[in-house]
Amino acid sequence: MTGRKILMDFEVTPTSHTLEAYAARGGYQTVSRVLREMKPTDVTKEVTEAGIQGRGGASFPAGRKWQVVDPHDGEPHYLLANADEGEPGTFKDRWILENAPHKLLESMLIAAYALGCRNTFVYIRGEFDLPYRRLQAAVEEAYKAGYFGEKILGSGFSCDIYVFRGGGAYVCGEASSLLASVEGIRGYPRNRPPRLTVKGLYQCPTVVNNVETLSNLAWILRHGAAEYRKVGTPKSPGTRLISISGHVNRPGVYEVELGYPWRKFLDEDCGGILGGRKLKAIIPGGISSQVLPGETAYELMLSHEALWDVNSSLGSGGMIAIAEGTCMVRLLQIMLRFYHHESCGQCTPCREGMGWAHRVIDRIVAGQGRPEDIDTLIRISKFNDGTTICGLGDAAGYATVDFIKHFRDEFEYFIEHKRSKNDGRLECLPEVANA
Amino acid sequence: MPEIFINGKPYQAEPDQTVLQVCRENGIYIPYFCWHPQLSVVGNCRICMVEEEGRGVDIGCNMPVKAGMRVLTESDEVKEHRKAILQFITLNHPVDCGICDKAGECVLQDYHYEYNGAPSISSDPKVRSTKFYDLSDRIVLDNERCILCSRCVRFTSEISKSCGLGIEERGDTSLVRPSTDGSFRNDAYSDNVVDICPVGALLSRSFFYKSRVWYLQTTPSVCPGCERGCSINVWHRKQEWHLQSLDTAENTSIARVTPLENMAVNGPWICNKGRDLAKIFERKRAEGAMAKGKPVSLAEAIAAARQLIVGAARPVALVSSWGSNEELEAFRSALGASFTSRVKADHQPEPGEVVEDDVLIRADKNPNSARARELFGTAPAVIPADADLVLVWGEGCDFSKIPAGARIILLGSYLAPENGHADVFLPISIQTERNGHYTNFQGVVSGFEACFPKAPGVVDAEAVFAGLGGAAS
């Protein structure tokens, strides 16, 4: 077991996602108590005290984001749940949307109350089918039961929710381009300043939180910030949903209490590495977080501060285990192809740099690499770091630099010998592993 | 008024300004492609990087001023970033300056020499894209040269409001494309996107491969297309580059017209009609004086006209609303007392032309109606039936409305059948051959200068009036 549970605190059955089942588990009691007894600022205070960090990738404390918004300034405010889960390797929000949509809805009601939002949105990834149907059904159930609409539960608070399906662009998971997409314009990220909490959707203060971040709120308000603080570590309270894929025996979504030992998580909970191989490397939180060598990861615990110490992060919680024998050059090629394909093309360094890096790595894999290519890749990454409008360029740069930093010998070998240092595979076939 | 420090020196700034604006006001140059003073800030070219001490580099065009902030515009890091950005921009740019109309006035060219200057470090093939894409019958688009600054897109959505352009696809295959409803083809301001394009991606068909810009010089002028009187630059061949053989008419023809920034009148824009002044000014010219269709010398023609004026009992003058302030004054002081003067509209809206809109175009298609009416009143240009002499100055006169017995003195610039029927015809110079001023409908006076010499037989209207002056006394 992976520690205490906040989100996965029930048994998943064919009907566990419905309102009936959620209500039987005590659902929507918290929001009715919040609406009766608490002031919006008290809710924000509670969330700030709980210290919950964003689960979408940047790990920014949600309470501090909220504090910028004054619920009584008379302006319209908007709350958006970012369910555009596009980070490769990440499929944790999907679990929430499929199995606990009401948890998200109740938490969004609480957040909307705290932030003074009349209208809230869920921006759901366009490719999600079952999650969309489950969420839409949950919204309809919640409306029918009177949890959304005018004067909710007899209080003076009214709130509507809209489910907005994305068009399939990775970059629209970035908060500002997500807003552009909701507004109906091209999904380009926007320059900061102004921050979205100052000028966001329709130029009004807007809070965009990840689905998992929001889904924790019902629990936090129900049990209190002090109780939440007891879960996890002092610097990273709570739990994280980790969606692990790659070369492990039991991939899937796990709720892990922060501070849980990584070795134990991989070896016991995930059943170890495929074919009993060694862990070569691990991408801790979606491909935009920096890759770590296996031996480093084994010594760490799963918490934000532990990963920050090694210049990586838990990111979006999309963990990818990479077993010994995988070709890191080809893996980077696939990642750069993704970034090239998903670069929105707005700002120069990313638009040109992603294509450039992709062409360079393609050439290396095709056996036509040149010794200076490694420096070119590093240079492209360097000038994408912090010079772009959004984080896509930075993320691709981190991935490239860390792959080269940890596995430079493989890149040099590939360029020199025109073939992979390993067998060139990304798969880890059990029979090959046993042979 | 926050005080900020740029390169160590203090400067006063307005609270809502950005670092780039403060630098521009104080003559500190920061390079930029996508930023434009009249357009919204998108910050996508990333070349206006400045360093805020203690916070690293960020784009100056979107950096709000904060009291006491310390900005460096020429630090090593800034220079390194500019160089890197230029490498990115030129990565897929064809660098075909040799055949590009923009060469010589291309911002990318300038910046490359100024901030990079190094050959490309990439040896991979460039991304290919469409060349000569037909945006409208006025503009072609070269997508390979495009650096996706989105100025043109913002222009059509924010200034001309046609929303005629957008960006399709994404990443390094993004393409500027017109909207499917064809609104760009009908955009009366579309040619401005050629001017604001920082590279040679958007090209004017009328200037396509016509001249290298360094063979040309500009002369400030005023667009006579409507009573807005937009300030323009008339581009024509420099004296030292005059052709001695081949088509020497090139030497005295308008190569192109671009806006001349005048915030009181037109800002940095003009409409497409203003670009086509050659169509107005380069019609066949009348170059010799005539009396009843027979060529005579200028002196003889002026003497004949004097005779007519002396002998007339009820002379009427149709004053041109294309005359400059100076010419109108000269007419009034020389002949105002002897003639009953009416202001005539020389030009009417052409079929298919945008008559009026809320950007620049005005319904009165004459540049100096305001001053002419000020001097000669607003009475309609109707000729009384008892008039025995009509002086027609300029175009737009309906000769069938002139009483049958009346004698006609005609001052015109272009070949027309009426020239031969007039009792006296005097060929006068056009706007590009003389200096002067127009007063627009808001009362703003703008000056124009001569671009070309007059033909020997042609005379300024001002000189004609001086010659005719005193005839009545």
Side-chain angles (χ1 to χ4, degrees):
Chain A
M1 287 300 285
T2 50
R4 294 180 63 176
K5 305 290 183 205
I6 287 176
L7 297 165
M8 291 182 158
D9 57 352
F10 61 95
E11 192 193 345
V12 175
T13 65
T15 55
S16 59
H17 60 277
T18 57
L19 177 58
E20 197 187 342
Y22 184 62
R25 295 197 296 268
Y28 288 105
Q29 283 171 10
T30 314
V31 69
S32 59
R33 188 178 58 79
V34 165
L35 292 180
R36 269 198 323 271
E37 295 169 7
M38 290 175 88
K39 289 204 295 278
T41 41
D42 294 339
V43 180
T44 306
K45 202 162 145 252
E46 197 75 19
V47 173
T48 313
E49 272 170 22
I52 179 169
Q53 289 137 316
R55 279 10 181 178
S59 307
F60 188 79
R64 273 174 55 198
K65 203 187 242 184
W66 288 18
Q67 279 170 348
V68 182
V69 179
D70 173 8
H72 303 299
D73 63 1
E75 269 189 88
H77 303 153
Y78 296 104
L79 170 73
L80 284 96
N82 186 347
D84 190 60
E85 190 175 43
E87 183 69 29
T90 314
F91 43 94
K92 62 177 179 71
D93 294 343
R94 179 179 180 164
W95 186 90
I96 296 174
L97 297 167
E98 283 178 6
N99 297 303
H102 283 289
K103 207 162 226 172
L104 171 67
L105 297 184
E106 182 180 6
S107 299
M108 282 184 75
L109 268 178
I110 295 169
Y113 177 67
L115 297 163
C117 303
R118 178 67 181 78
N119 291 299
T120 59
F121 298 80
V122 181
Y123 188 93
I124 187 164
R125 183 176 181 186
E127 292 91 329
F128 277 173
D129 180 35
L130 181 62
Y132 170 71
R133 286 186 278 129
R134 288 261 169 101
L135 180 67
Q136 192 61 47
V139 166
E140 280 158 24
E141 280 179 327
Y143 263 105
K144 215 172 272 174
Y147 294 123
F148 281 95
E150 300 276 336
K151 308 240 179 310
I152 295 162
L153 303 174
S155 70
F157 177 63
S158 305
C159 182
D160 279 305
I161 188 161
Y162 304 90
V163 180
F164 190 98
R165 297 188 83 177
Y170 171 64
V171 81
C172 285
E174 197 271 346
S176 63
S177 49
L178 185 149
L179 299 185
S181 178
V182 171
E183 286 176 13
I185 57 178
R186 195 177 162 85
Y188 272 163
R190 210 183 282 168
N191 278 294
R192 275 76 151 196
R195 278 187 294 178
L196 302 183
T197 41
V198 179
K199 269 188 179 182
L201 190 66
Y202 306 117
Q203 301 295 307
C204 294
T206 301
V207 170
V208 183
N209 278 138
N210 180 260
V211 163
E212 188 191 340
T213 320
L214 286 170
S215 299
N216 276 300
L217 299 179
W219 196 96
I220 292 173
L221 269 294
R222 183 175 184 169
H223 299 275
E227 193 65 24
Y228 185 76
R229 279 268 179 198
K230 288 183 193 156
V231 186
T233 67
K235 278 184 180 171
S236 23
T239 64
R240 293 274 329 231
L241 288 185
I242 301 280
S243 57
I244 184 160
S245 57
H247 305 154
V248 288
N249 282 319
R250 280 200 299 276
V253 184
Y254 296 83
E255 181 165 21
V256 179
E257 184 174 347
L258 288 164
Y260 193 76
W262 208 338
R263 182 189 293 276
K264 196 172 165 209
F265 175 64
L266 288 172
D267 286 352
E268 293 176 20
D269 299 293
C270 301
I273 306 303
L274 275 181
R277 291 197 194 184
K278 263 179 72 191
L279 180 69
K280 179 177 192 174
I282 192 155
I283 297 172
I287 64 169
S288 299
S289 63
Q290 289 90 334
V291 67
L292 291 174
E295 57 269 28
T296 313
Y298 269 134
E299 302 313 316
L300 295 175
M301 53 179 193
L302 285 164
S303 71
H304 294 119
E305 64 271 21
L307 277 125
W308 286 334
D309 285 346
V310 292
N311 274 328
S312 185
S313 78
L314 268 180
S316 63
M319 201 175 279
I320 302 171
I322 301 158
E324 198 65 56
T326 312
C327 178
M328 298 308 273
V329 182
R330 283 209 50 215
L331 187 55
L332 183 64
Q333 181 198 18
I334 283 169
M335 285 162 57
L336 290 177
R337 183 172 71 200
F338 172 80
Y339 284 118
H340 178 203
H341 183 69
E342 293 295 347
S343 169
C344 77
Q346 186 181 201
C347 63
T348 308
C350 170
R351 177 183 68 233
E352 306 296 346
M354 296 303 106
W356 191 1
H358 182 208
R359 284 189 289 276
V360 169
I361 194 93
D362 267 359
R363 197 157 41 74
I364 294 174
V365 171
Q368 289 163 356
R370 303 191 192 97
E372 66 269 21
D373 282 345
I374 293 176
D375 290 338
T376 306
L377 287 175
I378 289 173
R379 187 177 161 78
I380 296 168
S381 308
K382 181 184 167 193
F383 288 104
N384 262 296
D385 184 4
T387 64
T388 48
I389 295 175
C390 76
L392 193 151
D394 307 52
Y398 299 151
T400 312
V401 169
D402 280 58
F403 265 63
I404 294 174
K405 186 170 93 191
H406 296 302
F407 306 101
R408 195 179 181 104
D409 55 327
E410 286 194 36
F411 284 84
E412 285 170 348
Y413 186 94
F414 213 128
I415 290 170
E416 195 185 335
H417 297 87
K418 307 190 190 309
R419 62 182 169 81
S420 174
K421 196 175 181 185
N422 304 295
D423 61 1
R425 283 178 193 276
L426 297 177
E427 306 86 355
C428 186
L429 305 170
E431 60 272 29
V432 174
N434 291 336
Chain B
M1 290 268 280
E3 189 182 54
I4 72 166
F5 295 88
I6 304 170
N7 301 332
K9 281 193 203 149
Y11 293 94
Q12 294 295 319
E14 300 291 332
D16 56 348
Q17 277 184 315
T18 61
V19 169
L20 178 70
Q21 284 171 321
V22 179
C23 287
R24 248 169 71 94
E25 272 178 18
N26 294 293
I28 302 159
Y29 195 78
I30 296 180
Y32 54 84
F33 289 110
C34 67
W35 187 83
H36 189 283
Q38 301 288 310
L39 300 174
S40 61
V41 173
V42 289
N44 64 26
C45 73
R46 317 303 284 183
I47 198 159
C48 64
M49 289 280 176
V50 293
E51 184 176 348
E52 188 182 346
E53 279 178 60
R55 301 196 60 175
V57 294
D58 204 350
I59 50 170
C61 69
N62 195 47
M63 189 186 278
V65 296
K66 293 188 294 280
M69 76 192 298
R70 306 185 72 87
V71 174
L72 299 174
T73 66
E74 295 295 332
S75 68
D76 290 342
E77 206 185 340
V78 169
K79 286 181 185 166
E80 208 186 346
H81 272 94
R82 280 181 192 158
K83 194 170 170 174
I85 296 294
L86 280 165
Q87 277 175 347
F88 283 128
I89 288 179
T90 49
L91 183 76
N92 289 317
H93 186 87
V95 201
D96 55 349
C97 308
I99 54 159
C100 178
D101 276 346
K102 199 79 174 188
E105 54 178 9
C106 173
V107 184
L108 179 56
Q109 227 178 9
D110 294 349
Y111 290 171
H112 179 75
Y113 286 119
E114 183 76 27
Y115 304 115
N116 183 5
S120 176
I121 57 170
S122 164
S123 54
D124 293 298
K126 296 190 183 228
V127 174
R128 303 299 302 269
S129 192
T130 41
K131 314 280 282 183
F132 308 111
Y133 183 88
D134 172 52
L135 273 189
S136 73
D137 50 5
R138 305 181 63 89
I139 296 168
V140 277
L141 168 65
D142 185 325
N143 283 109
E144 288 187 351
R145 290 181 193 152
C146 177
I147 61 167
L148 291 164
C149 69
S150 81
R151 273 184 179 187
C152 53
V153 175
R154 281 174 286 147
F155 174 83
T156 57
S157 62
E158 292 164 20
I159 306 290
S160 76
K161 306 264 172 39
S162 70
C163 298
L165 294 175
I167 294 177
E168 283 181 1
E169 302 291 324
R170 65 183 182 200
D172 54 6
T173 48
S174 301
L175 298 168
V176 171
R177 282 288 177 265
S179 64
T180 45
D181 60 1
S183 56
F184 188 70
R185 287 180 188 272
N186 301 323
D187 187 336
Y189 297 89
S190 62
D191 280 23
N192 287 303
V193 300
V194 177
D195 297 331
I196 58 175
C197 183
V199 292
L202 291 159
L203 299 163
S204 168
R205 285 189 198 269
S206 62
F207 191 62
F208 205 42
Y209 296 152
K210 198 166 166 186
S211 174
R212 309 291 349 198
V213 291
W214 53 88
Y215 292 155
L216 304 177
Q217 68 177 85
T218 60
T219 301
S221 192
V222 182
C223 173
C226 77
E227 61 173 345
R228 173 78 59 177
C230 299
S231 295
I232 53 171
N233 267 324
V234 176
W235 293 70
H236 52 96
R237 235 172 151 79
K238 280 179 183 165
Q239 183 65 37
E240 61 267 37
W241 288 107
H242 269 190
L243 298 171
Q244 304 302 323
S245 58
L246 299 171
D247 190 3
T248 50
E250 286 284 305
N251 298 339
T252 54
S253 55
I254 298 171
R256 65 171 174 178
V257 176
T258 58
L260 175 60
E261 185 167 312
N262 183 349
M263 294 320 284
V265 180
N266 54 317
W269 321 117
I270 57 169
C271 72
N272 288 352
K273 188 187 181 187
R275 313 268 172 174
D276 296 338
L277 291 188
K279 268 189 204 157
I280 296 175
F281 288 135
E282 293 176 3
R283 288 177 285 167
K284 285 231 165 65
R285 294 290 301 279
E287 295 188 340
M290 288 187 286
K292 287 203 177 295
K294 287 196 201 75
V296 292
S297 74
L298 263 176
E300 286 166 338
I302 286 176
R306 277 181 77 107
Q307 285 282 315
L308 288 176
I309 295 170
V310 171
R314 287 171 298 280
V316 175
L318 295 182
V319 177
S320 170
S321 47
W322 282 53
S324 67
N325 291 351
E326 291 79 359
E327 290 171 329
L328 292 168
E329 303 278 0
F331 179 84
R332 193 175 66 154
S333 63
L335 300 166
S338 22
F339 280 86
T340 310
S341 305
R342 294 283 180 267
V343 178
K344 157 176 69 66
D346 291 29
H347 281 230
Q348 303 291 345
E350 311 246 331
E353 179 181 345
V354 176
V355 176
E356 191 165 15
D357 65 15
D358 50 9
V359 187
L360 291 175
I361 301 173
R362 301 279 303 175
D364 185 344
K365 301 297 174 194
N366 303 287
N368 213 8
S369 299
R371 184 69 182 141
R373 288 202 205 99
E374 217 173 287
L375 292 172
F376 303 106
T378 52
V382 181
I383 303 161
D386 58 350
D388 60 353
L389 172 67
V390 182
L391 184 146
V392 180
W393 173 13
E395 300 171 274
C397 172
D398 184 354
F399 285 84
S400 64
K401 298 268 169 66
I402 295 179
R407 316 293 293 270
I408 299 171
I409 303 172
L410 176 59
L411 279 68
S413 305
Y414 306 101
L415 281 187
E418 292 82 15
N419 297 359
H421 298 303
D423 294 274
V424 176
F425 172 78
L426 290 156
I428 54 169
S429 59
I430 56 172
Q431 188 189 323
T432 49
E433 296 165 352
R434 54 187 157 86
N435 297 349
H437 294 84
Y438 290 140
T439 307
N440 85 343
F441 75 105
Q442 300 152 305
V444 181
V445 178
S446 323
F448 55 87
E449 291 171 22
C451 315
F452 312 117
K454 291 192 288 283
V458 174
V459 64
D460 288 338
E462 231 176 315
V464 172
F465 301 141
L468 297 179
S473 56

